[in-house]
Amino acid sequence: KQEVTQIPAALSVPEGENLVLNCSFTDSAIYNLQWFRQDPGKGLTSLLLIQSSQREQTSGRLNASLDKSSGRSTLYIAASQPGDSATYLCAVYSNYQLIWGAGTKLIIKP
Amino acid sequence: NAGVTQTPKFQVLKTGQSMTLQCAQDMNHEYMSWYRQDPGMGLRLIHYSVGAGITDQGEVPNGYNVSRSTTEDFPLRLLSAAPSQTSVYFCASSTYSNSPLHFGNGTRLTVT
């Protein structure tokens, strides 16, 4: 059974730092992996989708990588800003379902 | 552009009551789904639909019913509310099941 883990559960860093969020999964047979952002009291916003054949995707200051063989994905945020404060969730599409991690709550201190 | 619209935003029910959470999307998406989100856990899939007239169960379907009579609407019915159903419910849609998901803003449900 596919399981998705995000560590740490919470992270607090000063503004301007580059940071990495981690996502690991137990079964490498995935179709794609998605990263989402969730703001308090809001729904989720899709940030990046990486197909299983890809190694990385970039959008602005965000870069997501995928290593299926090791069951890991990272979300790299460059030059962090207070507006990046949110919960970041990853989800893998596997066996026709999205399996979700519990998320990492990110706080960027001004 | 409305995207995915969920109503109501908040709801309080007594144990045993029934209600329907509404979800509508205006993007002509074939795939729609309902999730619940509980503290410290990932989202869990309740039910999903790959097109009008087609629905299927997800990971946690017990106590919930769905129907998909049109492409736009995908209501979630709680048959007899229980305290264990206290949660935040999200509706999401996408072109296909493996495409980027678009989420509504959620319904916070409390069952007393």
Side-chain angles (χ1 to χ4, degrees), chain B residues 9-66:
Chain B
K9 288 188 176 183
F10 302 95
Q11 184 70 50
V12 179
L13 293 177
K14 295 186 187 301
T15 297
Q17 287 184 317
S18 62
M19 77 158 296
T20 299
L21 308 185
Q22 301 292 343
C23 175
Q25 53 89 10
D26 61 0
M27 297 171 282
N28 203 32
H29 285 166
E30 291 294 330
Y31 182 83
M32 296 187 74
S33 54
W34 277 101
Y35 289 93
R36 59 178 290 172
Q37 185 177 38
D38 300 294
M41 302 181 69
L43 277 73
R44 291 184 291 170
L45 182 65
I46 305 172
H47 285 285
Y48 66 96
S49 168
V50 297
I54 306 169
T55 64
D56 208 345
Q57 298 180 349
E59 180 185 358
V60 288
N62 292 339
Y64 308 94
N65 272 357
V66 292

Side-chain angles (χ1 to χ4, degrees), chain B residues 70-89:
Chain B
T70 67
T71 299
E72 294 78 20
D73 299 299
F74 191 45
L76 177 72
R77 297 184 188 85
L78 279 70
L79 309 172
S80 177
S84 61
Q85 293 179 304
T86 294
S87 188
V88 180
Y89 291 84

Side-chain angles (χ1 to χ4, degrees), chain A residues 1 31-32 34 36 38 41-46 49 51 87 89 93 96-103, chain B residues 31 35 37 40-45 48 57-59 90 97-106 108:
Chain A
K1 179 184 174 185
Y31 188 84
N32 63 41
Q34 300 183 46
F36 292 83
Q38 184 176 26
K42 299 286 189 181
L44 284 72
T45 300
S46 179
L49 183 153
Q51 301 290 355
T87 297
L89 297 96
Y93 189 78
Y96 305 102
Q97 288 195 30
L98 267 180
I99 310 298
W100 294 80
Chain B
Y31 182 83
Y35 289 93
Q37 185 177 38
M41 302 181 69
L43 277 73
R44 291 184 291 170
L45 182 65
Y48 66 96
Q57 298 180 349
E59 180 185 358
F90 288 101
S97 60
N98 57 4
S99 303
L101 279 174
H102 298 257
F103 279 81
N105 284 335
R108 185 173 294 274

